[in-house]
Amino acid sequence: MASILKTALTPVKWASKQLLNRTLLRFPGGDAHDPVACAFCPEMCRFACPSTVATGNDTVTPRGMMSLLYKEKRWPGKAAAGGELWPLYGCTGCGRCTEYCIYGMPVAEKLFKARREHRWRGAQTALDTRVTEEMDSVGDLAAEWGELEVAKARRDRTLEKAGSAGVVRVREPKELHYLRSEGIEAELDWEPGLFRWDVAAQAAARERLSGKRWLVAESVWLSRRLNHAADVDHFCGVLERLGVSTVRPYHRGKDCIDTGGEGAYRYLFPEAAAVMARDFWERDRDKADGVIAFSDRAAAHLREALGAEVPVVEASRLAGLRLAEGSEE
Amino acid sequence: MPSQSDKISTNTLPTGLGEGTGWSRDRLVLQTYSHDLWPRKLLELRERGPAEPTVDLVVWPETPSQVQALVRWADTADVDLIPYGAGSGVCGATIPSGSMPRPRVMVDLKRLKRVRSLDRESMTVWAEAGIIGENLERHLNQEGLTLGHFPSSIYCSSLGGYLATRSAGQLSTKYGKIEDMVLALETVLPNGELVITGRAPRSAMGPDWTQLLLGSEGTLGVFTAACLQVHPLPEHREFLGFGTADVNQAMAFTRTLMQQGIRPAVMRIYDKIETSLTIPSERLGTGFSGGCAIVTVFEGTQAMAAVEASEARRIADSMEVSYLGPTLGTHWWEHRYDVSYKQQLILSHDRLMLDTFEIAATWDRLSHVYEAVKGVNLGFGVMLAHFSHFYHTGANIYFTLASHSGLKASTVEHYDQVWESILGAAMEAGATLSHHHGVGVQKSAWLPKEKGAFIQIYEKVKRGFDPQNRFNPGKMGL
């Protein structure tokens, strides 16, 4: 009798589960990337957020920031009561929260997009000042705003080149990310993950770096924007073949920690960015004598935060070592 | 008319706490800190939209001496202080009580986040209260160690929060609860003094001050750090699944295991409804014929884990409990935090409520408590139950309630009615009304009912520690 009952109830149970999955156990509208998913989440991603860990401020946790989008969508203007939604700028863009979110919520992409709609006067001032100071960074910083003339011009030029091909081919990983976040199909013009050596300069690089242990500041921008095709292990391998002693950071790979030097965050929240850089160094300082960073801005930021006592070198300035197409020599 | 926030003279704050980074009264910051994860507050947000902040200032001290300075400043500035960890509490413990006439200052401890030292001989670690549980565990893992404390909120909760609420983790049956792990607390008392509560694994030098402070939910002091015992990472894990016809048979089996001295790292009984709704049938295997699923995990050295697992199987055989193989256990292990993400699925829908209720009782009452709480009318809803922390003398039951508010005017009103019913049912049946979530606002009115005369004594203790009643006032039934 029991087994007959069990057999009879099986389709009922199946139907009930199907009904639940289609109604209650899905977000309204079926979009798992709607900000409502963050607003009521216990926030399992917060331990991974560099902004949260550096500031301790719950307003700039992934959930804190995404909740603002939910509130603003449902009750426009009520959360800030006429003020500015400045926490939307509290994200470094590292994407580590997305790595840990069961729904893969693209927090950085959503916040960066929302910034175009919710301007923060304080941010504008900070970035405008820096724009004049670091002209070579204009393009990257401008890309985050989406409306500054240089970014628009670059985008327009890129789209012109694409023409009717449909897919835009670009050289810079950041540009790839930016275009994709705009919904434009794009791909890298080269095979990511390969490093090209300038053979003639290897000796100079070896001389510069030998005798010290170098902590590799794996860049969240590098590994994520290259879809993890290149990471700290790859880069350390390249340097080690050169005879350079490298230290893999405590936080690496999926847990790669933002040092706060990339993008606008460093200018908008300088104290927090400095804490990120110092926290990064503190964790592994016993193992290393200096730091290798992946970009000019990250290197400059680390030098400023760590002081003259900690040598910092920038990877692509290492005598010809740079990301490029082709194979290793 | 100046707000409470305006009354606070921030230029008298201790040195080192600057605007923006050390303190803030920005509206969005105050709103964030005006709630924790108490589902009632989430329902209020969903129904009524963003509320006015109930906090007047947030401060972020970075060192114990800054905390001390803040506590002394609170006296001169005449403000109340509420210690805050990661805001993951589900009972409203950090939500200012309505009866606070003074400005309310939230003291966020998350910048005290260092692991200070590790003692491999004593197997202890000194860690600061603001560290997030997962970050502490990862730090220890890098050293080949574990704290053994795995609340399902580990990714979003702080050590200070564990201490303040007497938290328990999923592997507590082997590693103990937080009170079993703490050797000493570093605490700033309401008079500004920094004290350390212990120096040895056990002491008969008077009452145990560590145990008095644990679970005080910020009413007696501010935790700045703790000395905790740690363990080597386990060499081996064995995953075993069992099936029983009903919860009574499951309780008898698990009681026998505990009373025979077997200590699984994980032991969980899922009642019939929770089994059928949350465990994929392919994980239960062909040996499962309906009823309750039991997950057990044994870990430790290879030999110990194997012996305990073998003994558990022998006892299962003798009690006609079906052995289902390792798949159920491995599935649970791989998805043990996933359930925490499910709450937003339910809460994203208007008119639905979701909450959890965790109690404990002695074995002789456990079945009655289970039936009493399950018998509460939720309206159009469902109540799941699992048993997840076990003792020689009893166990915990963890209920999950999801319900539609039907024709009631407000889901918050429905929520309050459901809670009144389940708390009453559990108390009547002889359970304690919280095993590990704590009291907060939610159960504050029930604390005197459960603790009786001890509340008056606690009032005197509170006055002894905090004569001005500045520390999280209006909580703990007072």
Side-chain angles (χ1 to χ4, degrees):
Chain A
M1 182 63 182
S3 66
I4 293 169
L5 207 56
K6 184 184 171 189
T7 308
L9 284 173
T10 299
V12 172
K13 279 189 192 168
W14 179 87
S16 306
K17 280 191 180 174
Q18 293 301 310
L19 182 65
L20 271 175
N21 288 338
R22 281 166 173 68
T23 54
L24 299 184
L25 296 180
R26 78 196 271 272
F27 293 103
D31 181 8
H33 290 174
D34 188 283
V36 72
C38 294
F40 297 113
C41 181
E43 195 170 33
M44 303 295 274
C45 59
R46 72 135 74 208
F47 81 99
C49 173
S51 185
T52 310
V53 173
T55 64
N57 187 341
D58 282 10
T59 316
V60 292
T61 64
R63 172 172 174 253
M65 295 185 281
M66 292 294 286
S67 292
L68 276 183
L69 294 186
Y70 165 72
K71 289 173 190 171
E72 196 59 22
K73 182 179 166 185
R74 198 158 168 179
W75 304 278
K78 194 169 174 193
E84 294 183 299
L85 297 181
W86 65 266
L88 298 180
Y89 293 80
C91 171
T92 67
C94 77
R96 203 167 160 214
C97 51
T98 309
E99 299 275 355
Y100 283 99
C101 177
I102 200 172
Y103 301 111
M105 179 68 76
V107 173
E109 278 80 355
K110 285 200 175 273
L111 290 173
F112 277 38
K113 229 181 193 134
R115 292 173 187 182
R116 296 183 192 117
E117 196 186 324
H118 301 286
R119 307 302 287 223
W120 181 29
R121 282 188 296 271
Q124 180 76 58
T125 307
L127 286 182
D128 282 349
T129 306
R130 286 293 175 171
V131 160
T132 53
E133 284 178 5
E134 295 182 14
M135 287 304 293
D136 63 331
S137 305
V138 162
D140 296 316
L141 287 173
E144 292 181 35
W145 287 96
E147 288 177 16
L148 291 176
E149 293 308 315
V150 171
K152 279 169 73 180
R154 283 180 72 187
R155 184 180 61 182
D156 293 342
R157 274 199 303 274
T158 312
L159 287 172
E160 246 177 63
K161 269 195 259 174
S164 58
V167 176
V168 178
R169 296 179 69 78
V170 298
R171 291 195 55 75
E172 292 290 329
K174 281 180 192 164
E175 201 168 354
L176 175 77
H177 163 67
Y178 170 66
L179 290 171
R180 282 182 175 167
S181 71
E182 287 284 292
I184 298 167
E185 261 196 77
E187 57 190 39
L188 283 173
D189 196 20
W190 47 277
E191 183 67 31
L194 299 175
F195 297 87
R196 188 179 179 196
W197 292 96
D198 182 329
V199 176
Q202 282 185 28
R206 195 182 297 119
E207 190 183 328
R208 185 173 175 206
L209 298 177
S210 67
K212 285 190 165 66
R213 302 161 300 170
W214 296 94
L215 178 62
V216 179
E218 181 186 6
S219 166
V220 292
W221 291 84
L222 174 71
S223 63
R224 289 212 170 70
R225 299 322 178 225
L226 293 176
N227 291 320
H228 306 283
D231 62 17
V232 69
D233 284 326
H234 194 138
F235 197 73
C236 284
V238 166
L239 288 177
E240 281 154 14
R241 279 195 288 281
L242 189 61
V244 174
S245 174
T246 59
V247 176
R248 274 124 171 107
Y250 166 67
H251 293 286
R252 48 186 289 218
K254 181 176 173 178
D255 286 323
C256 165
I257 200 159
D258 198 322
T259 55
E262 302 283 358
Y265 189 87
R266 175 188 171 201
Y267 306 119
L268 301 179
F269 302 96
E271 291 98 344
V275 168
M276 285 180 201
R278 287 195 288 265
D279 281 356
F280 162 77
W281 171 245
E282 284 301 317
R283 188 61 187 88
D284 289 307
R285 64 180 300 162
D286 292 340
K287 304 189 191 89
D289 306 302
V291 179
I292 292 179
F294 277 96
S295 72
D296 278 340
R297 279 211 301 287
H301 171 62
L302 283 159
R303 283 188 199 106
E304 196 179 314
L306 303 181
E309 287 166 10
V310 180
V312 178
V313 298
E314 201 274 306
S316 66
R317 305 285 178 204
L318 286 174
L321 179 65
R322 61 181 182 277
L323 296 175
E325 75 276 21
S327 53
E328 290 176 28
E329 294 176 335
Chain B
M1 184 170 159
S3 67
Q4 288 282 61
S5 183
D6 294 333
K7 288 179 194 166
I8 305 173
S9 172
T10 52
N11 57 10
T12 59
L13 275 167
T15 317
L17 291 172
E19 184 175 5
T21 52
W23 63 266
S24 176
R25 48 179 164 213
D26 177 271
R27 180 187 166 85
L28 291 173
V29 172
L30 299 183
Q31 250 180 8
T32 301
Y33 282 83
S34 294
H35 64 86
D36 56 12
L37 281 179
W38 187 21
R40 191 184 195 277
K41 284 291 173 188
L42 299 178
L43 296 181
E44 285 179 16
L45 166 67
R46 199 182 68 195
E47 260 179 28
R48 303 168 193 168
E52 287 303 302
T54 53
V55 165
D56 303 302
L57 184 76
V58 181
V59 291
W60 292 278
E62 295 188 16
T63 61
S65 57
Q66 269 190 348
V67 175
Q68 289 179 273
L70 261 173
V71 168
R72 293 185 196 112
W73 166 82
D75 251 351
T76 52
D78 197 27
V79 300
D80 289 336
L81 296 179
I82 304 166
Y84 183 97
S88 62
V90 292
C91 300
T94 58
I95 295 173
S97 158
S99 61
M100 294 168 73
R102 296 184 286 234
R104 304 147 294 193
V105 177
M106 203 66 84
V107 182
D108 188 335
L109 280 305
K110 285 199 293 298
R111 295 225 190 118
L112 277 84
K113 57 183 193 248
R114 292 187 309 124
V115 173
R116 288 182 186 166
S117 63
L118 202 53
D119 176 348
R120 285 188 184 275
E121 192 170 4
S122 306
M123 288 294 262
T124 57
V125 64
W126 266 101
E128 291 185 337
I131 194 167
I132 297 295
E134 178 67 11
N135 289 332
L136 171 59
E137 181 63 20
R138 285 176 182 224
H139 184 112
L140 292 171
N141 290 170
Q142 291 264 325
E143 307 290 338
L145 301 169
T146 177
L147 181 60
H149 194 63
F150 301 95
S152 52
S153 61
I154 190 172
Y155 290 155
C156 57
S157 50
S158 69
L159 175 58
Y162 303 157
L163 304 169
T165 57
R166 290 176 68 89
S167 65
Q170 292 169 340
L171 276 62
S172 71
T173 304
K174 176 180 176 74
Y175 293 106
K177 283 67 183 170
I178 195 68
E179 68 270 17
D180 303 310
M181 301 175 181
V182 176
L183 253 85
L185 295 170
E186 181 188 272
T187 310
V188 176
L189 297 178
N191 65 0
E193 199 179 336
L194 184 72
V195 296
I196 293 178
T197 56
R199 58 169 66 186
R202 191 186 187 276
S203 174
M205 293 292 285
D208 189 333
W209 295 100
T210 301
Q211 295 302 327
L212 173 64
L213 290 173
L214 286 174
S216 57
E217 298 187 10
T219 57
L220 301 181
V222 181
F223 300 132
T224 49
C227 180
L228 307 154
Q229 73 178 21
V230 295
H231 308 263
L233 283 168
E235 198 176 283
H236 181 64
R237 271 193 196 106
E238 294 242 2
F239 301 92
L240 280 68
F242 297 96
T244 59
D246 53 38
V247 287
N248 289 324
Q249 189 188 15
M251 278 190 264
F253 170 56
T254 52
R255 176 169 60 81
T256 305
L257 290 184
M258 293 302 295
Q259 291 176 348
Q260 297 278 330
I262 294 167
R263 290 292 177 269
V266 175
M267 188 150 66
R268 301 170 75 87
I269 301 171
Y270 292 90
D271 79 351
K272 281 186 189 174
I273 295 182
E274 188 154 345
T275 298
S276 65
L277 284 180
T278 65
I279 302 178
S281 53
E282 62 270 20
R283 306 296 174 191
L284 294 165
T286 52
F288 185 73
S289 53
C292 300
I294 304 174
V295 170
T296 58
V297 181
F298 297 90
E299 69 175 39
T301 61
Q302 180 85 35
M304 280 298 292
V307 158
E308 287 197 303
S310 166
E311 193 58 11
R313 283 196 65 179
R314 185 193 67 75
I315 292 172
D317 283 343
S318 70
M319 297 180 74
E320 294 180 4
V321 170
S322 315
Y323 173 59
L324 305 177
T327 309
L328 175 61
T330 51
H331 172 76
W332 177 83
W333 186 263
E334 284 156 16
H335 297 278
R336 62 193 186 280
Y337 298 128
D338 288 2
V339 67
S340 299
Y341 284 97
K342 301 291 192 226
Q343 76 168 39
Q344 61 265 49
L345 280 168
I346 307 289
L347 290 175
S348 63
H349 293 274
D350 288 344
R351 310 293 291 167
L352 284 180
M353 65 159 273
L354 178 81
D355 208 341
T356 54
F357 176 39
E358 27 65 70
I359 56 86
T362 48
W363 289 112
D364 62 329
R365 294 175 181 172
L366 205 61
S367 180
H368 179 49
V369 169
Y370 169 78
E371 296 296 342
V373 176
K374 287 281 279 189
V376 167
N377 182 9
L378 298 181
F380 186 65
V382 66
M383 191 185 308
L384 315 180
H386 64 256
F387 302 60
S388 44
H389 303 273
F390 291 82
Y391 303 86
H392 188 85
T393 50
N396 140 267
I397 312 178
Y398 196 96
F399 299 95
T400 304
L401 351 150
S403 172
H404 192 282
S405 54
L407 299 174
K408 291 198 179 82
S410 124
T411 312
V412 174
E413 177 194 323
H414 174 61
Y415 177 93
D416 288 342
Q417 285 171 3
V418 165
W419 267 97
E420 189 73 15
S421 301
I422 58 175
L423 286 166
M427 166 151 281
E428 183 71 26
T432 181
L433 298 185
S434 176
H435 174 263
H436 58 268
H437 283 177
V439 181
V441 172
Q442 187 172 59
K443 295 163 210 162
S444 193
W446 288 80
L447 196 54
K449 295 178 196 177
E450 180 172 329
K451 297 298 183 185
F454 284 108
I455 290 299
Q456 287 152 11
I457 296 170
Y458 191 79
E459 199 168 6
K460 294 178 176 138
V461 169
K462 165 77 168 162
R463 233 180 290 132
F465 273 81
D466 180 21
Q468 301 300 319
N469 195 23
R470 291 192 190 285
F471 277 54
N472 208 4
K475 299 288 173 41
M476 302 301 274
L478 301 178

